[in-house]
């Protein structure tokens, strides 16, 4: 009997040791081993952030005003952002989760880059390597625009940047050096320049959800508007890169706003973010409630008729001024929507609801961010022409922009004016300043004063 027990004990020990070996040979988590080219390509799906900076960047600007205490505060972070207070909430649109999301995307890009190196940097993965570099550059650039001072060539060597992550983490805690803005932008630029020659659309089933060729050049054009060089050579890069996006006939790739006019609100929102739209270059979905706020739910702090009339949709431009109750040369000004509130919106950032429990009506709010468009890239080029003092070329690009965004004629005001250097100078030289209500002006001044005092004391 004892002999039998000893046999079972020995057998059990052997099985235990075998099981232990199997356990130790198993990855301790669910990470994928990037040991094939297909796995590397799949990894890059997570190299794009799933959170958005739009709420933080929009509600801290003068596009938003306080529409009055008769409206309740919809979200606390909306109010705190508007008032330039420290944001105390922890939702998908707040600094903590935005920071984590972008660095998580950077980590995925770095993991893919290391895997490509481990596989011997094969030519067959050159496009994937380029995409990973572009994702890494973009995420650092986006974070810098939220959490750092603007790039200033005169102070960039001392202004603080953010850590530039260039390799996967192998330790639980790593102490990073922030570095300067000069160091940060140099590394972003290096990644962009290394990636551009190898970006290819052929490796994607839906290129608009990846850094395809046009999206990559659009990013390079935008970045070089920020990355000002002492010799101003960055502006020629903006022009060259933008031209790669726009081709010889930019009008053919700009958004056709006339086609949106017959559509209802939801249809406009859906049409605006379609991958088949030629003007859309890169689409990045995110978990965000910004869509519902901009669509009129967050009325207390939002756009207003005053902002629309003087600064955005109906603002006087070289093409003419808004006349109440009549059409405007700007096509999309007719697609404003007001939900019984003082703020009008154009539905280009709508909410898409992902239901996880239809009975309990619970789920996740999403937006689809159109990160780069041909319309914006055209304006980047026009701005670069201005910095090069090539004003006729800038006016030509603005006329191209008008051809997409404005009606060619109005019954009560005649044809749209062709923009020339002289007409633009005349318009802006004679432009009166908008009248700001005294209470609104004083409130913003007080907010700025308190903000500067608080930041100066830290």
């Amino acid at each position: 009997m004892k002999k039998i027990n000893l046999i079972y004990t020995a057998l059990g020990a052997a099985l235990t040791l075998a099981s232990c070996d199997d356990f130790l040979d198993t990855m301790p988590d669910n990470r994928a081993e990037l040991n094939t080219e297909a796995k590397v390509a799949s990894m890059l799906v997570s190299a794009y952030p799933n959170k958005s900076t739009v709420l933080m960047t929009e509600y801290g600007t003068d596009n938003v005003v306080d529409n009055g205490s008769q409206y309740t505060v919809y979200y606390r972070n909306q109010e705190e952002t508007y008032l330039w207070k420290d944001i105390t909430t922890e939702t998908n649109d707040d600094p903590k989760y935005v920071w984590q999301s972008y660095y998580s995307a950077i980590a995925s890009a770095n993991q893919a880059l290391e895997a490509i190196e481990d596989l011997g940097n094969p030519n067959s993965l050159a496009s994937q390597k380029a995409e990973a570099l572009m994702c890494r550059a973009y995420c650092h650039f986006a974070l810098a625009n939220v959490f750092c001072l603007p790039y200033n060539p005169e102070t960039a060597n001392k202004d603080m940047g953010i850590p530039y992550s260039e390799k996967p983490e192998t330790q639980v805690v790593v102490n990073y050096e922030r570095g300067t803005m000069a160091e940060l932008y140099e590394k972003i630029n290096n990644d962009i320049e290394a990636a551009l020659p190898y970006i290819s659309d052929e490796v994607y089933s839906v290129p608009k959800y990846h850094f395809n060729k046009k999206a990559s050049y659009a990013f390079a054009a935008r970045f070089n508007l920020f990355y000002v060089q002492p010799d101003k050579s960055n502006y020629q890069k903006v022009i060259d890169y933008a031209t790669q996006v726009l081709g010889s006939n930019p009008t053919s790739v700009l958004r056709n706003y006339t086609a949106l006019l017959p559509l209802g609100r939801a249809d406009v929102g859906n049409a605006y973010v379609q991958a088949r739209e030629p003007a859309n270059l890169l689409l990045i979905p995110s978990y965000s409630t910004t869509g519902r706020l901009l669509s009129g739910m967050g009325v207390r702090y939002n756009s207003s008729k005053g902002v629309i009339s003087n600064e955005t949709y109906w603002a006087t431009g070289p093409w003419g001024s808004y006349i109440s109750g009549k059409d405007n040369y700007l096509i999309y000004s007719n697609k404003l929507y007001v939900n019984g509130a003082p703020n009008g919106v154009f539905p280009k950032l709508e909410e898409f609801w992902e239901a996880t429990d239809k009975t309990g009506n619970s789920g996740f709010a999403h937006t689809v961010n159109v990160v780069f468009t041909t319309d914006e890239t055209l304006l980047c080029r026009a701005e670069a022409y201005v910095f090069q003092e090539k004003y006729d070329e800038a006016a030509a690009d603005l006329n191209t922009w008008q051809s997409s965004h404005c009606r060619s004629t109005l019954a009560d005001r005649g044809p749209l004016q062709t923009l020339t250097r002289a007409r633009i100078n005349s318009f802006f030289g004679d432009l009166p300043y908008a009248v700001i209500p005294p209470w609104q002006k004083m409130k913003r001044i007080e907010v700025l004063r308190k903000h500067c005092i608080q930041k100066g004391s830290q």
Side-chain angles (χ1 to χ4, degrees):
M1 190 70 176
K2 288 183 179 179
K3 189 174 182 180
I4 294 174
N5 287 339
L6 285 173
I7 291 173
Y8 279 126
T9 302
L11 183 60
L15 290 172
T16 301
L17 289 173
S19 299
C20 186
D21 285 342
D22 291 342
F23 175 77
L24 293 175
D25 288 339
T26 302
M27 292 292 287
D29 55 24
N30 292 323
R31 78 184 69 177
E33 290 187 79
L34 303 183
N35 51 13
T36 68
E37 295 187 7
K39 288 181 179 179
V40 171
S42 297
M43 183 70 179
L44 287 172
V45 174
S46 59
Y48 296 85
N50 62 7
K51 306 295 188 295
S52 169
T53 63
V54 172
L55 188 147
M56 288 191 292
T57 53
E58 180 68 10
Y59 284 94
T61 72
D62 287 336
N63 289 344
V64 174
V65 295
D66 185 346
N67 286 307
S69 57
Q70 69 269 31
Y71 301 106
T72 58
V73 176
Y74 199 79
Y75 287 137
R76 192 172 67 202
N77 59 350
Q78 186 189 15
E79 179 175 55
E80 289 173 342
T81 303
Y82 171 78
L83 296 174
W84 289 9
K85 291 182 176 181
D86 289 336
I87 298 174
T88 59
T89 53
E90 293 187 5
T91 71
N92 287 325
D93 293 296
D94 294 333
K96 175 181 177 179
Y97 287 98
V98 168
W99 179 273
Q100 290 178 348
S101 173
Y102 278 75
Y103 269 112
S104 177
I106 291 167
S108 294
N110 284 335
Q111 198 72 51
L113 289 168
E114 183 181 77
I116 292 170
E117 185 175 345
D118 291 342
L119 290 170
N121 279 310
N123 290 333
S124 55
L125 284 174
S127 297
Q128 287 82 353
K129 181 177 180 179
E131 182 184 4
L133 289 171
M134 200 64 72
C135 288
R136 185 169 75 181
Y138 170 74
C139 287
H140 283 102
F141 178 66
L143 288 175
N145 276 283
V146 175
F147 296 102
C148 300
L149 293 171
Y151 184 86
N152 181 342
E154 296 180 1
T155 61
N157 283 317
K158 59 183 178 181
D159 292 338
M160 298 300 294
I162 58 172
Y164 203 88
S165 176
E166 298 177 275
K167 59 183 179 181
E169 294 303 339
T170 57
Q171 301 177 29
V172 176
V173 178
V174 179
N175 292 320
Y176 281 103
E177 294 292 332
R178 284 187 62 178
T180 65
M181 287 294 288
E183 293 168 335
L184 173 65
Y185 268 56
E186 182 180 9
K187 290 181 177 181
I188 294 172
N189 185 61
N190 289 343
D191 277 352
I192 292 173
E193 295 296 328
L196 281 177
Y198 301 101
I199 291 289
S200 171
D201 294 356
E202 303 303 319
V203 297
Y204 308 123
S205 56
V206 185
K208 297 292 182 72
Y209 283 91
H210 299 266
F211 263 110
N212 56 78
K213 196 165 187 176
K214 284 191 174 183
S216 298
Y217 277 101
F219 173 35
R222 184 193 294 178
F223 171 73
N224 277 281
L225 272 183
F226 288 70
Y227 194 35
V228 181
Q229 300 299 298
D231 62 357
K232 310 298 183 184
S233 59
N234 58 294
Y235 294 123
Q236 186 57 49
K237 281 189 172 184
V238 176
I239 294 166
D240 293 341
Y241 291 151
T243 302
Q244 288 279 349
V245 177
L246 301 167
S248 59
N249 181 23
T251 305
S252 65
V253 294
L254 298 182
R255 193 178 303 276
N256 180 5
Y257 282 95
T258 303
L260 301 179
L261 288 178
L263 304 179
R265 175 184 183 132
D267 291 331
V268 172
N270 284 323
Y272 195 91
V273 299
Q274 289 298 312
R276 63 176 177 269
E277 166 58 53
N280 294 340
L281 302 178
L282 178 62
L283 306 170
I284 301 182
S286 64
Y287 295 97
S288 176
T289 56
T290 307
R292 71 178 63 169
L293 296 177
L294 290 175
S295 67
M297 285 186 162
V299 177
R300 173 66 188 270
Y301 303 104
N302 218 311
S303 183
S304 69
K305 188 173 181 179
V307 170
I308 292 169
S309 299
N310 297 298
E311 299 177 31
T312 56
Y313 298 109
W314 296 337
T316 300
W319 47 79
S321 58
Y322 172 69
I323 299 176
S324 180
K326 296 186 178 182
D327 282 340
N328 190 287
Y329 281 107
L330 286 174
I331 297 171
Y332 56 72
S333 68
N334 288 54
K335 297 302 292 186
L336 294 177
Y337 293 86
V338 180
N339 295 340
N343 56 306
V345 296
F346 178 80
K348 72 177 193 176
L349 195 67
E350 288 288 276
E351 180 174 303
F352 297 91
W353 183 254
E354 176 192 355
T356 55
D357 179 3
K358 293 184 178 180
T359 304
N361 195 32
S362 61
F364 299 102
H366 296 262
T367 58
V368 177
N369 301 288
V370 186
V371 181
F372 296 104
T373 67
T374 54
D375 303 63
E376 186 237 1
T377 302
L378 179 67
L379 295 179
C380 287
R381 189 172 73 175
E383 186 174 345
Y385 278 136
V386 170
F387 279 111
Q388 288 191 338
E389 300 183 8
K390 296 179 178 178
Y391 302 118
D392 291 334
E393 289 88 339
D397 274 352
L398 293 177
N399 275 308
T400 301
W401 185 90
Q402 278 195 165
S403 70
S404 167
H405 290 68
C406 297
R407 303 171 192 274
S408 59
T409 186
L410 287 177
D412 56 338
R413 276 167 283 176
L416 181 70
Q417 296 294 315
T418 299
L419 298 180
T420 63
R421 178 179 176 181
R423 179 171 177 80
I424 293 171
N425 284 338
S426 173
F427 168 77
F428 284 104
D430 298 335
L431 184 67
Y433 287 99
V435 178
I436 303 174
W439 66 271
Q440 186 68 48
K441 182 177 181 181
M442 293 307 298
K443 186 174 184 64
R444 292 298 278 172
I445 290 174
E446 183 64 15
V447 168
L448 285 168
R449 186 184 70 81
K450 288 181 179 179
H451 178 77
C452 292
I453 291 174
Q454 290 170 356
K455 295 301 178 185
S457 63
Q458 293 179 356

